[in-house]
Amino acid sequence: MLAKKPPMGWNSWNTFTKDINEEMIMQTADTMVEKGLLAAGYEYLTIDDCWSEMERDANGMLVADHQKFPHGMKYVADYVHSKGLKFGMYSCCGPKTCAGYPGSFGYEFKDAEYFASVGIDLLKYDNCFHPSTPAPLRYNRMAMALKATGREILFSACNWGGENVWEWARSVGAHMYRSTGDITDTFESIRKLSESQLPKLATSAPGCFNDIDMLVCGLYGKGNVGLGMGCTDAQYRYHFALWCMLMSPLMIGCDIRTMSEETYKLLTNKELIAINQDEEARPPMFVEDNHGMKDNIICFRHLAGGEFAIGFFNPYDREQTIMLPYFEIGLDPLCGYGFEIRDLLTGENLGVHRDYFEAKVDATDCRVFRARIVKL
Ligand code: GAL
């Protein structure tokens, strides 16, 4: 079964847009292995839009851009596979991709054959210039074309959350579905996209996950979706930890060849990744902040193995003490049970807490904990 857990990998779009080429992709594949990103779970390397020639060939087949990929795409795919990684590519359900390259509308089965001949393991399928056919049919058509090739290909449906995608994405064979517009490297965008999905996580589950968009961690304002100064390390921590808590696919978007030590540590944080990849994949319960800070996100999540994850996310620009009163999750003060709590980011055991648990959270930052229920 594909996408038993939220898919993890790297994608070229957030940093490189059309400035992609064979050498950069192969170096990225090397880096994913050498820096231990593959070992941490990032297995898909995906080339996004702008990889092809502007025209199909005389047989109507897609052709890789000769200058960017002089040896053709199979050569790149073979190299990526030789590193133990999986290879992803991109197309669109309209006649053109978002950047104006040939799209798959009317060519779905032919293009699926091309992608299978290259040896892809993931297809990101975008939504620009689409015809008036209902979205489920547009996406189902490509899902069937991929199946017809006989190759196992993870289908990443990217329709930006339109047409109530959460209601039909699973039915049309998608393994992940973009539920939001494009992310930018700003804290405002991170907040807006994630908050839009808090009430829509119930259908995100093994086999088909809600994709809140690719990560901007480590961009620091550079690259395609980089704006101004980008975000602070605390804000990237908020972003990554929240994507882990909400079980979003984790697709790295920065240039990993030159990423900072801080970015590397965040992206390979074993404890946060374990929460993202938890095999039970249960979305969190959300508790309202009882100090009236309505934008705080307080998550309580059941994990496999009997433990729980607690996340405190402070989007305000000043430090706050955030509190989880246990009665808000049904644990009555008189029941005789409390939680033993460990800080995931520092590793510190914070001991047993009864009635409530509170912690200081820096401005635009987060704290994440693991909890075990104990008899007092
Ligand atoms: C957008 C999509 C982005 C990227 C871009 C390529 O529609 O949401 O993630 O794929 O197209 O042109």
Side-chain angles (χ1 to χ4, degrees):
M1 175 185 168
L2 286 175
K4 260 194 201 155
K5 299 176 177 183
M8 294 172 65
W10 176 92
N11 175 298
S12 58
W13 185 254
N14 280 357
T15 294
F16 296 98
T17 36
K18 61 179 184 355
D19 297 325
I20 43 177
N21 60 64
E22 185 180 286
E23 199 190 354
M24 180 277 284
I25 294 295
M26 288 161 78
Q27 286 172 358
T28 298
D30 294 344
T31 309
M32 285 176 80
V33 177
E34 283 160 15
K35 293 203 175 153
L37 292 169
L38 173 61
Y42 298 94
E43 55 177 349
Y44 289 96
L45 183 162
T46 298
I47 301 181
D48 208 283
D49 205 352
C50 312
W51 60 267
S52 75
E53 287 288 338
M54 280 299 188
E55 302 295 336
R56 293 172 179 270
D57 71 10
N59 300 318
M61 294 301 269
L62 292 166
V63 189
D65 184 302
H66 289 109
Q67 293 203 330
K68 295 175 183 170
F69 301 100
H71 298 91
M73 259 332 169
K74 177 136 185 15
Y75 175 82
V76 180
D78 288 349
Y79 187 81
V80 170
H81 287 145
S82 77
K83 294 274 154 180
L85 294 158
K86 293 182 173 159
F87 185 56
M89 286 180 73
Y90 165 100
S91 189
C92 182
C93 67
K96 281 180 193 292
T97 71
C98 297
Y101 294 78
S104 294
F105 176 63
Y107 289 88
E108 289 86 348
F109 285 84
K110 208 169 210 157
D111 289 355
E113 282 171 20
Y114 166 79
F115 288 125
S117 75
V118 166
I120 68 164
D121 309 291
L122 177 154
L123 181 71
K124 175 172 169 183
Y125 204 47
D126 216 336
N127 199 35
C128 280
F129 307 107
H130 65 74
S132 54
T133 328
L137 304 193
R138 301 197 300 272
Y139 284 90
N140 194 43
R141 190 170 163 89
M142 183 48 103
M144 291 188 296
L146 293 174
K147 291 262 163 75
T149 67
R151 189 175 169 87
E152 199 168 59
I153 297 174
L154 188 142
F155 189 38
S156 166
C158 175
N159 92 324
W160 321 308
E163 292 160 274
N164 294 357
V165 61
W166 60 94
E167 291 175 0
W168 50 264
R170 180 175 290 271
S171 306
V172 303
H175 298 100
M176 53 192 266
Y177 61 93
R178 263 283 291 287
S179 51
T180 60
D182 287 17
I183 196 164
T184 58
D185 184 19
T186 59
F187 188 57
E188 196 190 329
S189 169
I190 290 166
R191 281 193 61 195
K192 190 173 124 225
L193 300 193
S194 52
E195 287 166 24
S196 75
Q197 294 312 303
L198 301 185
K200 293 187 189 144
L201 293 167
T203 55
S204 183
C208 184
F209 285 95
N210 181 330
D211 169 17
I212 311 177
D213 206 357
M214 303 170 292
L215 301 167
V216 292
C217 303
L219 258 65
Y220 300 108
K222 292 198 212 81
N224 172 38
V225 301
L227 289 176
M229 300 292 290
C231 299
T232 63
D233 285 326
Q235 292 168 346
Y236 288 137
R237 181 161 51 241
Y238 182 110
H239 172 30
F240 188 71
L242 191 51
W243 263 233
C244 287
M245 196 56 110
L246 305 184
M247 311 180 305
S248 178
L250 300 175
M251 296 295 168
I252 298 173
C254 68
D255 185 348
I256 54 174
R257 298 169 306 172
T258 54
M259 71 183 152
S260 69
E261 188 58 23
E262 197 67 32
T263 301
Y264 167 75
K265 277 202 213 133
L266 179 64
L267 293 174
T268 55
N269 184 303
K270 283 201 170 78
E271 298 268 21
L272 291 176
I273 292 175
I275 288 189
N276 178 264
Q277 299 283 298
D278 187 76
E279 62 188 351
E280 287 193 7
R282 296 180 190 277
M285 295 167 75
F286 297 102
V287 176
E288 232 173 80
D289 185 278
N290 67 354
H291 299 309
M293 307 304 281
K294 66 174 179 46
D295 292 328
N296 287 341
I297 302 173
I298 304 176
C299 314
F300 178 80
R301 195 174 140 187
H302 285 246
L303 300 175
E307 290 197 336
F308 305 91
I310 297 172
F312 289 168
F313 294 85
N314 172 13
Y316 292 95
D317 56 10
R318 62 188 156 80
E319 183 194 273
Q320 284 190 69
T321 298
I322 298 185
M323 188 216 273
L324 170 69
Y326 294 166
F327 65 83
E328 293 282 4
I329 49 169
L331 199 66
D332 192 280
L334 300 176
C335 74
Y337 285 82
F339 288 112
E340 183 180 4
I341 292 182
R342 188 162 57 84
D343 186 322
L344 278 198
L345 294 169
T346 64
E348 197 186 346
N349 192 332
L350 302 177
V352 174
H353 294 251
R354 56 182 305 156
D355 302 342
Y356 66 92
F357 172 64
E358 66 178 14
K360 281 202 173 123
V361 189
D362 286 342
T364 61
D365 202 347
C366 65
R367 304 275 303 269
V368 187
F369 310 92
R370 244 182 203 266
R372 211 164 56 81
I373 190 156
V374 289
K375 206 170 170 84
L376 299 169

